[in-house]
Amino acid sequence: MSHSLLVMKFGGTNMQDSAAIRHSASLAARWAQQGVRVVVVVSAMAGVTNSLLSIADAAETGDIAAANDALAEIRHRHMAAAGELGGRPDSATVRELRELLETLRQAIYGVYLLRELSPRSRDLIVAFGERLSAPLMGLALEGLDLRAHHLTGGAAGILTDRHFGGARPLPQSAERIRDRLGGLLDAGVTPVVAGFMGETEGGSVTTLGRGGTDYSATILAEALRADEVWAWKDVDGVMTADPRVVPDAQNIEVLSYGEVMELAYFGAKVLHPLAVTPLQDSGIPLRVKSAADPDFPGTLVQRDTHNLPGRPVKAVTAIRNVSVINVTGAGVLGVPEVVSSLFGAIARENITLLMVSQSSSMSNVSLAIPDADAARAMEALRQSATDDLTYEQQTGKAVLAIVGGGMRGQLGVSARMFTALAEAQINILMISQGSSELNVSVAIENSEVDEATRAVHAAFGLGAPVGD
Ligand code: ADP
Ligand code: ASP
Ligand code: MG
C-alpha cells in the first residue's frame, strides 16, 4: 500500500551511536526517496536519559565533580557522533550542539548552586537528551541527500499542561503542529522532532514521561493526519512476553489499542502506556517494526481487536518493584466511602494504582503500587485516614498480568493462569481482573517473576508460532 505521510519514531537503541543513527536515517530515506512525506521523531542516544537524571541528582546533592564527569562523557559521545556523521567543526549543526551542551552545563551548575531540583528543572535538563540527538539525525539524513530540519518538541507545536515529568498534550497542539510542520513538509523538507518533550504556554520545557517519544510520535501523527506511525525498535515487534525473559516469545501480528495500553500499563516497556491514546479517534494504525529486519511486518496496532481461535491470551507481562499496601480494620467493612476516599487520595497524588482487591471478609483492601510511589501513597492514605484503619506496606513484590481481548466472557482463563502458577509453586498474594476484561493480574514475589512469566507463557501455548 502506498502512503503519503508516515511518522517514524526511532528509539534510544536506534540512536545509540553514529552507525545506528545512519542506519535509522537510511530507513527514513528509503520511504522519503519514494515520495512519501516522512516526519522523523527521535529518542535520546541510549543511556543518555538515565545519565542526565543522575547528573541532575548529583548536582542537587552537591557532587558537581560526578556531574561534570558524566556530562563530559555525554559531550564526547555527541561530538564524536556528529563528526562521524560528517558534521564539520565550524558547521551550524556542530556549533548548535556546542551551544546546547554549554546551556546544559549551566543548567546543571544552577542546580548545584541552588542545591535545588524542581520537577521543572529536572524536565529542562532531561529533555536535552532528545534536543542533542535530533541534530545528529538531521546530519545523517543530509548525508543521504535529504533536506532535513530539526526542532524541539515545543517548536514542532507540542503544547502541554504543566504536569512536569508526565505532561499531557493540550488540544491546541494539533493546529500548531500543522502550522509548524506543514510548511516544511510541503517544501520537501524532512522534519526531525526531538521526542519525549513538549512546552507549556509559558515556554517551559516539559517531558511526557519515560518512553515518551512513542507518545510524541502519535501526537504528531494525529495532528498531521498521517497514514501510519512506525515505531522502529530493537525487537521484531510487540511480543508475547519480554524476549529477554522468555526466549521463545513470539511476535504478535495484530493488537488493539486497548490491548497494547494494558500491556504497557502492566510493564511491557515496548511502548509508552499512553502512546496509542491520540490515535483513538482517527484510528490511525501504529506499527512496531524491527530496525534490523525492516521488511518484517512487525506488529500492527489498530482500533479493533483481532482474536484468534484458541488464543484468549495474547501476552504475559510483569512489573517489578511493587509494594502491596494492606488496609485493614473494621472501618473498611463494606463501607464504599472508605474505599472511595482511599482512591481519591491515590488519584490526587497521581499514583499508579496497579491492582486493587478486597478480601472476602470485606475487612481488608489491598492496593498494589509501584515502589517508587509507595511512600507518597502511604502518606496520602494516612492523611485521608478514617479512624481505626491500619496501613501496612510490603515491598519486594511484582505484578504479573495476562492480556488479550479474547478473554472477554471466556471461562477458565484465570483458572489456567492460577494452575500454572501453582504447579510452578508460585504463591499468589493478590488477584484482580480489570473491568475491561482485557487482563487478569496477580501479585507475586519479585524474585519469582521470571519463572512465573515463563510458566504462564507456556500454559497458554504462547511459545508456538500462530497457526501451529
Ligand atoms: P525504544 O528505545 O525503541 O523506545 P524500548 O527499550 O523502550 O525501545 O523498548 C523495547 C524493549 O522492550 C525491548 O528491548 C524488550 O526487551 C522490551 N520489552 C518488554 N516487553 C516486551 C514485549 N512484550 N514485546 C517486545 N519488547 C518488550
Ligand atoms: N529518552 C526518553 C527515555 O529514555 C524517552 C524515550 O526514549 O522514549 O525515557
Ligand atoms: Mg521506549
Side-chain angles (χ1 to χ4, degrees):
M1 197 170 75
S2 71
H3 299 294
S4 67
L5 177 64
L6 292 175
V7 175
M8 292 195 184
K9 176 258 170 173
F10 295 95
T13 316
N14 306 110
M15 295 293 293
Q16 66 185 345
D17 52 27
S18 60
I21 297 174
R22 197 176 288 122
H23 177 66
S24 298
S26 77
L27 294 172
R30 184 162 145 191
W31 276 269
Q33 280 154 357
Q34 292 169 29
V36 179
R37 293 186 299 163
V38 179
V39 175
V40 173
V41 190
V42 296
S43 290
M45 294 175 103
V48 168
T49 304
N50 285 339
S51 173
L52 288 167
L53 286 168
S54 347
I55 289 174
D57 288 339
E60 186 193 22
T61 54
D63 193 352
I64 195 67
N68 280 336
D69 285 351
L71 183 59
E73 222 170 278
I74 289 180
R75 182 183 300 118
H76 175 74
R77 225 173 129 190
H78 287 83
M79 296 314 276
E84 287 154 18
L85 292 167
R88 289 211 317 275
D90 57 347
S91 65
T93 308
V94 173
R95 248 184 295 137
E96 185 189 340
L97 280 174
R98 269 199 298 270
E99 275 161 27
L100 281 169
L101 286 160
E102 175 55 17
T103 312
L104 170 61
R105 189 192 66 77
Q106 288 173 5
I108 291 162
Y109 200 69
V111 169
Y112 165 70
L113 289 178
L114 297 166
R115 298 286 199 280
E116 186 182 271
L117 181 63
S118 64
R120 175 173 158 172
S121 341
R122 185 184 280 111
D123 268 7
L124 176 74
I125 290 171
V126 77
F128 270 93
E130 274 69 12
R131 286 171 75 181
L132 288 164
S133 65
L136 298 176
M137 175 57 88
L139 283 173
L141 289 167
E142 281 159 10
L144 297 168
D145 293 329
L146 288 180
R147 283 197 295 150
H149 179 74
H150 60 268
L151 314 92
T152 65
I158 301 180
L159 195 70
T160 73
D161 61 19
R162 299 178 47 83
H163 186 173
F164 295 100
R168 303 281 168 267
L170 297 177
Q172 308 90 288
S173 297
E175 210 179 311
R176 277 191 183 225
I177 292 167
R178 287 192 288 273
D179 274 359
R180 311 268 173 104
L181 302 187
L184 291 171
L185 288 164
D186 289 343
V189 175
T190 303
V192 179
V193 180
F196 181 46
M197 61 179 302
E199 203 171 281
T200 65
E201 307 241 23
S204 305
V205 171
T206 52
T207 65
L208 306 171
R210 293 307 303 268
T213 304
D214 300 318
Y215 198 11
S216 307
T218 56
I219 294 167
L220 296 171
E222 177 72 13
L224 297 167
R225 306 178 183 103
D227 297 297
E228 294 191 355
V229 186
W230 292 4
W232 294 100
K233 302 265 167 186
D234 61 349
V235 278
D236 283 348
V238 182
M239 310 194 68
T240 51
D242 187 339
R244 283 180 294 199
V245 176
V246 182
D248 63 349
Q250 302 288 315
N251 181 59
I252 305 171
E253 280 173 37
V254 185
L255 281 172
S256 68
Y257 294 148
E259 288 171 328
V260 123
M261 277 170 76
E262 299 272 350
L263 266 171
Y265 190 78
F266 286 106
K269 188 183 156 235
V270 64
L271 283 172
H272 185 287
L274 296 178
V276 296
T277 54
L279 308 177
Q280 273 165 328
D281 285 338
S282 63
I284 294 174
L286 164 73
R287 279 179 207 277
V288 179
K289 286 181 70 75
S290 160
D293 189 3
D295 295 316
F296 185 75
T299 301
L300 170 64
V301 184
Q302 61 176 28
R303 190 152 38 193
D304 301 327
T305 314
H306 178 82
N307 293 325
L308 296 165
R311 283 241 174 170
V313 171
K314 296 207 174 83
V316 188
T317 181
I319 311 186
R320 279 150 236 270
N321 305 323
V322 166
S323 285
V324 170
I325 298 177
N326 292 311
V327 186
T328 337
V332 178
L333 201 75
V335 186
E337 298 85 76
V338 173
V339 175
S340 90
S341 94
L342 293 179
F343 286 1
I346 298 278
R348 271 193 305 282
E349 286 289 314
N350 247 305
I351 286 161
T352 308
L353 190 54
L354 299 167
M355 289 174 70
V356 183
S357 74
Q358 187 159 27
S359 70
S360 51
S361 70
M362 307 272 272
S363 60
N364 169 296
V365 176
S366 301
L367 311 173
I369 285 166
D371 276 342
D373 289 348
R376 274 190 308 131
M378 286 292 279
E379 191 46 42
L381 292 175
R382 285 204 190 92
Q383 301 265 323
S384 74
T386 329
D387 304 332
D388 63 19
L389 290 186
T390 59
Y391 303 94
E392 176 227 358
Q393 179 190 347
Q394 299 169 349
T395 57
K397 312 299 175 206
V399 171
L400 184 82
I402 49 175
V403 174
M407 281 161 42
R408 217 168 254 155
Q410 281 254 354
L411 295 171
V413 173
S414 315
R416 209 152 131 197
M417 180 187 199
F418 306 153
T419 306
L421 291 170
E423 280 170 2
Q425 305 207 319
I426 288 161
N427 192 22
I428 301 177
L429 311 167
M430 260 174 95
I431 295 175
S432 139
Q433 173 162 38
S435 54
S436 62
E437 286 191 61
L438 287 175
N439 76 73
V440 175
S441 54
V442 296
I444 58 175
E445 294 295 335
N446 240 346
S447 54
E448 295 179 327
V449 174
D450 289 353
E451 199 192 337
T453 307
R454 288 189 282 265
V456 172
H457 191 263
F460 286 98
L462 297 179
V466 173
D468 281 21

